[in-house]
Amino acid sequence: MTPHLRLIGANFLDDPDREEFAAELSERGLAATDEEIETLLRSAWREQLTGAYLAGFARRTAFRDRIGALLVESETSYAGQGCCFALAAFGGPDDAEWLATYLDRWLPELNCQYDQPWAMGALVTIDPARAETFAGAWQHWIDHGCRGRGYRGLTDERERIRALLALQGVRKPRRPNDFTENAASASTCRTGSARPVASP
């Protein structure tokens, strides 16, 4: 499985080598230059997803505002999942503010199933009191959002975020795997209105 497919939905958490993969993300995030991470974040969704995960695992808080802005703009598919994880990994008041800004912007958009569950899961994890202020809007989105289909709830995304945070700082011997050096060489865009649909 190619790296971005393991990152979508944090799929790698279901793999037996999840600790090793997380350790490699941390290592590469720490080794990457600012320019390399910035290049990922200003590219297409696969690179943005990768860059956000690298920044999150390595706690590269200098990219907080860049990642927060990408999340709020929400112009591509899947990348927002990584942005939500990164902000949760940074875990400060400014990160909670970016997550709240996203929810203010996108919870009222009932036809857009973007990264609302990931953002809510991240905010519940790092600032439960702030998340509580969105309880009404969140319930309305669950009941009436997603083009009227509703949404099953929050458990999966919240637990995904918590599982990812639990892997921060893991250090394991690395073997060659599918996380290639040139993660910045992919291309393209998610379901929901007003955005291009991505093919994983």
Side-chain angles (χ1 to χ4, degrees):
M1 184 182 293
T2 55
H4 73 273
L5 292 178
R6 300 190 74 185
L7 295 177
I8 291 173
N11 283 330
F12 75 91
L13 291 174
D14 302 321
D15 297 335
D17 67 339
R18 58 187 172 275
E19 290 190 353
E20 183 179 344
F21 190 72
E24 186 168 3
L25 288 170
S26 297
E27 179 182 323
R28 291 181 181 276
L30 290 167
T33 65
D34 287 351
E35 182 178 359
E36 287 169 337
I37 291 182
E38 177 60 33
T39 296
L40 290 170
L41 294 176
R42 65 168 177 256
S43 300
W45 72 266
R46 292 177 178 88
E47 293 90 344
Q48 289 179 11
L49 179 64
T50 300
Y53 265 99
L54 293 179
F57 270 104
R59 293 188 174 93
R60 300 285 289 269
T61 56
F63 291 97
R64 169 184 291 117
D65 291 342
R66 183 77 176 91
I67 288 171
L70 281 175
L71 177 63
V72 174
E73 290 163 5
S74 203
E75 292 182 348
T76 67
S77 307
Y78 305 115
Q81 299 174 7
C83 293
C84 291
F85 159 66
L87 294 171
F90 301 156
D94 291 340
D95 307 292
E97 187 64 33
W98 275 115
L99 292 164
T101 299
Y102 174 86
L103 292 169
D104 274 332
R105 169 67 182 87
W106 291 106
L107 278 181
E109 299 291 338
L110 299 181
N111 288 333
C112 299
Q113 184 178 347
Y114 289 176
D115 299 301
Q116 292 95 328
W118 282 82
M120 193 65 173
L123 189 59
V124 164
T125 300
I126 67 172
D127 192 341
R130 187 69 179 274
E132 184 63 28
T133 66
F134 289 96
W138 172 249
Q139 189 61 52
H140 187 68
W141 189 82
I142 287 178
D143 292 340
H144 304 289
C146 308
R147 300 172 184 263
R149 296 189 299 270
Y151 190 76
R152 67 188 182 282
L154 183 60
T155 303
D156 288 356
E157 291 80 9
R158 181 177 56 203
E159 294 309 315
R160 281 312 213 202
I161 291 286
R162 290 175 177 174
L164 289 168
L165 296 180
L167 288 173
Q168 284 191 296
V170 168
R171 295 289 182 268
K172 290 284 185 179
R174 189 177 67 171
R175 63 175 188 181
N177 64 17
D178 59 2
F179 198 89
T180 57
E181 293 289 340
N182 52 355
S185 64
S187 59
T188 327
C189 282
R190 184 167 206 297
T191 57
S193 63
R195 286 208 288 201
V197 176
S199 58

